[in-house]
Amino acid sequence: MMAAMIAAKIHQDSIDLSSLVAVYDYECQTLDAEGKTVTDRMKVCVQVGQHCTRSYPYRKFREDTEGYDYGTPEELVKWKEEAYCFMPEVWTNHPEGMTTVRDAIIPNIYETREGRKPIDWTLCDDTLTVGGFLCKTATCLLHGRKWTVHYAEDLPTSAGPWKLCGLPGMILEAKTDDNVHRFIVADIRRTASPIYYEHNAITSRIAEEKLIKNRIKIFGNKLYPKKPTYYIPNHQSMNADETFCQIGDEILCVVNGVLELNQAHVFQPLELK
């Protein structure tokens, strides 16, 4: 099946054991290739371990822990929806004192590894109940976007979705001031599961700043929504591992384990700089 073909190209090491798993609903407000307003959605999983955390697609968490196959028609539809969201994988404090981020710009898989930089949070007096937990409020400016988050001190971890972390309690909701991006917790599980780091032979190291600039330059181009591979001069000559899957009447290519869309949505970067 599709998952088995992709998994065969990846070696995983267990680097920690989670004591807490949070599943978030992520939403992004954007436009489709025809300029119509759409909301892209996916589920994001955050595993909280003793030494590190991992934020990544819930689909991959299920593959790791349940061995489920996302090659079924229903799961392929979810994978396609997820591909619109541009959500990277983030390992916080792996290696120790570092943040590792993995992201794809087809046909390449890139990885950044930077020293952890504390987020300059402003704590507020406002409170709100999220997911049954009384939460406090904080704001920050991160990579050019202003975020407002709600965190629960009853969950004594500084973790949160994506790169958002560093508060005296788990972040359960986060949104940008323009309401383009939003995470909200859907489920909290006190469960043990291995936190994996993937050793992928096709991954290339790159500086964080350069990856952000490249992502904005390529995905932010006006040609991208209608022709997502516009930037590849000769698509057929890509030095990449390709397989194909069918979603309804549509045939999509999987390039180095990443689903390639025939049409995309307008890119709304999590990071502006």
Side-chain angles (χ1 to χ4, degrees):
M1 299 296 284
M2 183 69 66
M5 288 189 289
I6 294 171
K9 309 176 194 311
I10 298 173
H11 170 69
Q12 297 189 125
D13 282 342
S14 176
I15 57 174
D16 204 348
L17 188 68
S18 74
S19 57
L20 187 70
V21 173
V23 181
Y24 296 82
D25 289 321
Y26 166 74
E27 294 183 349
C28 176
Q29 307 299 325
T30 186
L31 304 173
D32 66 12
E34 305 305 321
K36 297 179 181 178
T37 301
V38 292
T39 301
D40 292 329
R41 296 180 174 90
M42 68 175 291
K43 288 189 178 294
V44 176
C45 176
V46 175
Q47 291 175 287
V48 181
Q50 183 177 355
H51 306 292
C52 67
T53 66
R54 184 185 184 189
S55 175
Y56 67 128
Y58 180 58
R59 167 184 58 84
K60 297 189 71 173
F61 171 78
R62 289 186 60 200
E63 181 188 347
D64 288 344
T65 58
E66 301 172 14
Y68 98 110
D69 189 340
Y70 53 88
T72 65
E74 296 79 12
E75 295 301 335
L76 283 171
V77 169
K78 292 180 183 179
W79 193 15
K80 180 182 176 181
E81 292 171 351
E82 178 184 299
Y84 290 121
C85 291
F86 305 96
M87 185 63 59
E89 297 185 56
V90 181
W91 290 266
T92 302
N93 204 40
H94 176 73
E96 186 175 355
M98 309 287 283
T99 297
T100 299
V101 178
R102 185 167 295 168
D103 204 357
I105 301 177
I106 291 176
N108 301 307
I109 310 295
Y110 292 106
E111 184 175 285
T112 72
R113 186 167 288 180
E114 308 281 347
R116 292 182 65 187
K117 302 171 184 175
I119 298 173
D120 185 15
W121 290 104
T122 299
L123 304 184
C124 309
D125 294 331
D126 299 343
T127 60
L128 184 71
T129 298
V130 181
F133 292 89
L134 180 63
C135 294
K136 293 184 177 180
T137 305
T139 62
C140 74
L141 186 65
L142 183 61
H143 290 291
R145 285 195 180 276
K146 184 177 179 180
W147 289 86
T148 298
V149 309
H150 300 104
Y151 63 97
E153 292 183 330
D154 288 342
L155 295 171
T157 170
S158 61
W162 180 55
K163 295 181 179 180
L164 296 163
C165 62
L167 287 164
M170 189 164 200
I171 295 171
L172 299 187
E173 183 179 23
K175 61 181 179 179
T176 55
D177 63 342
D178 57 5
N179 293 313
V180 170
H181 301 279
R182 180 177 185 243
F183 297 90
I184 185 165
V185 74
D187 191 18
I188 296 286
R189 308 172 189 173
R190 300 182 188 275
T191 182
S193 59
I195 299 177
Y196 290 113
Y197 171 75
E198 300 169 350
H199 299 277
N200 193 325
I202 57 176
T203 300
S204 300
R205 288 285 176 85
I206 190 173
E208 179 185 59
E209 183 179 358
K210 185 174 181 181
L211 177 59
I212 293 171
K213 287 182 178 179
N214 287 352
R215 193 190 297 123
I216 292 173
K217 180 181 178 181
I218 292 173
F219 297 150
N221 190 290
K222 65 181 181 180
L223 298 175
Y224 180 79
K226 292 196 174 184
K227 189 178 180 182
T229 57
Y230 79 91
Y231 59 95
I232 304 174
N234 185 354
H235 185 271
Q236 298 301 319
S237 67
M238 286 192 306
N239 181 21
D241 181 41
E242 294 181 318
T243 56
F244 294 88
C245 63
Q246 185 167 353
I247 302 177
D249 296 329
E250 187 178 20
I251 303 296
L252 295 178
C253 184
V254 181
V255 182
N256 291 337
V258 179
L259 191 66
E260 177 187 288
L261 297 169
N262 294 330
Q263 281 197 340
H265 293 167
V266 173
F267 180 50
Q268 303 289 351
L270 282 162
E271 298 155 306
L272 298 175
K273 60 182 181 180

